[in-house]
Amino acid sequence: MPIPTRLSLAVAGLVLLSAPSVANAQDRPADRRRFLLPSSQTTDDPRRVLVGNAPRGPDGSIVLTGGRVFDGTGAPARELTVVIERNKITRLVPPGPANWPTGARVIDVKGMTVLPGLIDLHTHLTDGQIATIPPALVNDMADGMLRGIERMRFYIESGITTVRDVGSLDGIFRLKAWVGEHRATGPRVFAAGRLITGPGGHSAEGLGSDPDQAIFRIASGADDWRKAVREQFDRGADFIKITSHFSRDEVRAGIEEAHALGLLVTCDCETFYIDWAVDAGVDMIEHPLPRTDEVIQRMAAKGVASIPTLVPYQYIFDDDGGYFGSTSRRFTFGKEANLDVLRRLKTAGVTLGVGTDLVTDWYRRLPAPYLTELKNLVSVGLTVPEVLGLATKTNAVLLDMDDKLGTLEPGKLADVLVVRGTPDTNLDDLTRVEWVIRDGEVVVQGGIAVLPSRTRTGAAPAKRY
Ligand SMILES: [Zn+2]
């Protein structure tokens, strides 16, 4: 969808409505990367840490022939052959005889559509709110890692090749590393680490003000909010997640610190807290919680995006008849009210992303929840190709990864989904997953997750004796 975000406005060189508040801050991609030569290789995450120039990805190459390609750029689906070398897409060529790389694995995808891997911007991979988990193990790191491993399979088999984890146990960064090294099967993980909130903040109600609370970092006062942001950065955060409650000073300090470190900030908040977060320069707002038309207009004008996540609330309303007992949800809301917020966001031209927030055991319903969320977006007037564009290209922009992910173009990382049918005309076909390739490696075959057996170049852990 061609609605400019703050990031794309910056790339286009237009005047930012929210200028960086720190001289030489790194809150725009152009700022963060100004000292990087285009030839430099960096980590494939928003931190963009320099790495050596050794070849990356698996040694082989893969060619997908005979399929329709929906490349995510806005172009209509058409017959093309996709060539993947190591972990990158290198060519998209018209069907016919071609010079494949020697020894390429050629996969016939006739009757199927090839599209960019889907992205889910709102997960909690280590979440422990499942009835079968003993209370004593909810915050247990080992159990949390196993929960993450189990969940990742559901995501990858649904064609979701990237997730953004917006609040997990500290071990989330090890899950990210294991997937990155192809030692575990799953989607790419971009993680916030712990979510930062004030005492009594959302989801942390009743936990008191001790700063360390498993998936929470309870912060008090502007300086402590800065410290909390730096702690997540130090652990490896790819972005920062904050939730109400906070003061104006706290949210301003947290966002300023994150931007200075080159990290985007997303906020789970409601009513006037949205106003304060938008004033402070937040990059996006999670959930469909109540807000004024005035702040929706300001979100649109400042390029503050929205990740509406309607589907988890639909499950809550169905299961519990409403949302009760939360001091950060002190308003009446329901399915229609949430859809109304989404409609108003869409009408105002706010950039929309796709996330599902599948806590408890809802991940076991995948791929249905992801499809339901896409259909929610269709229900407010977006076309199916536009919605697929949000799930891929726009979601990559909101991750600050659109130069490496989100479309099928030469030079992009090879995260590719192959489904039977034509999901760009019949959205339900999106669930007919056949192949998934992530980082140049086949990770789903015949709809079932597989663990690559090859040793990957450059992926071996450093030896320590
Ligand atoms: Zn959440």
Side-chain angles (χ1 to χ4, degrees):
M1 198 170 62
I3 294 168
T5 64
R6 185 151 70 105
L7 302 175
S8 57
L9 284 170
V11 170
L14 301 175
V15 176
L16 283 175
L17 291 164
S18 57
S21 48
V22 179
N24 298 317
Q26 300 186 41
D27 65 331
R28 300 173 304 174
D31 296 332
R32 280 198 290 283
R33 297 171 201 156
R34 77 166 68 124
F35 300 114
L36 284 175
L37 291 173
S39 59
S40 300
Q41 286 204 111
T42 65
T43 50
D44 294 325
D45 58 42
R47 297 161 67 91
R48 298 300 200 282
V49 180
L50 281 166
V51 295
N53 283 324
R56 296 161 78 187
D59 289 332
S61 46
I62 297 172
V63 178
L64 303 171
T65 62
R68 300 165 75 246
V69 172
F70 177 91
D71 64 15
T73 64
R78 58 210 187 278
E79 275 191 38
L80 285 173
T81 298
V82 181
V83 180
I84 294 164
E85 296 176 71
R86 290 191 172 275
N87 68 340
K88 291 214 172 117
I89 297 161
T90 52
R91 278 181 286 161
L92 291 114
V93 293
N99 251 346
W100 310 139
T102 316
R105 177 180 181 182
V106 179
I107 299 175
D108 182 1
V109 293
K110 198 167 187 317
M112 305 183 202
T113 300
V114 182
L115 58 163
L118 305 172
I119 299 174
D120 189 326
L121 289 182
H122 197 122
T123 68
H124 300 276
L125 290 178
T126 66
D127 171 60
Q129 303 173 64
I130 307 177
T132 55
I133 293 175
L137 292 183
V138 166
N139 293 330
D140 180 81
M141 196 65 78
D143 210 68
M145 296 302 94
L146 291 168
R147 299 191 297 252
I149 291 285
E150 188 207 11
R151 278 174 169 80
M152 289 198 300
R153 177 170 182 177
F154 284 85
Y155 286 96
I156 201 74
E157 287 185 346
S158 303
I160 296 164
T161 53
T162 291
V163 298
R164 189 181 67 154
D165 193 280
V166 293
S168 261
L169 299 170
D170 296 342
I172 189 70
F173 297 113
R174 294 307 301 150
L175 278 179
K176 170 184 168 161
W178 276 65
V179 174
E181 294 165 9
H182 284 259
R183 300 161 77 188
T185 298
R188 290 177 195 274
V189 178
F190 296 103
R194 300 185 189 197
L195 57 88
I196 301 170
T197 188
H202 175 61
S203 288
E205 290 101 333
L207 292 183
S209 53
D210 182 347
D212 290 315
Q213 301 280 352
I215 75 164
F216 304 101
R217 169 61 165 86
I218 313 281
S220 300
D223 283 350
D224 198 33
W225 273 67
R226 288 182 191 280
K227 185 163 177 264
V229 167
R230 289 183 197 163
E231 286 167 2
Q232 308 319 306
F233 177 78
D234 189 42
R235 291 194 176 103
D238 297 302
F239 65 99
I240 295 296
K241 163 81 177 295
I242 61 175
T243 80
S244 53
H245 310 133
F246 41 68
S247 70
R248 279 181 177 276
D249 281 351
E250 288 169 336
V251 70
R252 203 179 297 122
I255 291 171
E256 185 180 275
E257 195 65 33
H259 284 174
L261 293 166
L263 303 183
L264 299 177
V265 180
T266 193
C267 182
D268 168 349
C269 53
E270 70 286 354
T271 63
F272 62 89
Y273 289 109
I274 296 178
D275 296 61
W276 291 1
V278 170
D279 288 347
V282 77
D283 300 288
M284 61 204 91
I285 305 283
E286 306 292 309
H287 305 314
L289 308 183
R291 69 201 71 187
T292 62
D293 283 327
E294 184 275 329
V295 85
I296 288 176
Q297 292 301 329
R298 258 183 322 125
M299 286 176 68
K302 293 182 74 166
V304 178
S306 163
I307 323 298
T309 72
L310 297 194
V311 71
Y313 298 101
Q314 289 167 323
Y315 291 162
I316 291 170
F317 300 145
D318 285 344
D319 292 351
D320 303 338
Y323 194 118
F324 306 117
S326 165
T327 49
S328 63
R329 300 288 189 258
R330 285 174 289 159
F331 38 77
T332 303
F333 75 140
K335 289 184 190 177
E336 265 317 303
N338 289 357
L339 258 179
D340 182 58
V341 172
L342 175 58
R343 217 172 275 124
R344 287 156 60 212
L345 289 163
K346 191 258 176 189
T347 303
V350 172
T351 298
L352 299 170
V354 180
T356 57
D357 197 8
L358 301 178
V359 291
T360 83
D361 61 356
W362 299 331
Y363 62 92
R364 293 179 182 163
R365 305 181 190 186
L366 279 167
Y370 197 90
L371 186 68
T372 301
E373 190 66 15
L374 297 186
K375 287 183 175 177
N376 285 329
L377 291 160
V378 171
S379 76
V380 297
L382 291 157
T383 67
V384 169
E386 281 172 343
V387 165
L388 288 177
L390 299 185
T392 54
K393 185 179 182 180
T394 302
N395 270 5
V397 169
L398 298 178
L399 273 169
D400 191 11
M401 288 297 295
D402 50 311
D403 54 337
K404 300 195 182 209
L405 295 174
T407 59
L408 302 181
E409 293 177 283
K412 290 278 178 89
L413 293 168
D415 286 10
V416 181
L417 167 61
V418 184
V419 300
R420 294 198 174 274
T422 58
D424 49 309
T425 57
N426 176 23
L427 207 44
D428 288 308
D429 283 347
L430 203 60
T431 64
R432 300 171 68 198
V433 174
E434 197 64 31
W435 298 89
V436 178
I437 295 165
R438 188 186 60 73
D439 207 34
E441 196 90 65
V442 171
V443 289
V444 172
Q445 187 168 342
I448 306 293
V450 292
L451 186 65
S453 58
R454 282 175 289 166
T455 304
R456 291 168 57 87
T457 307
K463 285 180 184 165
R464 290 202 184 90
Y465 297 102

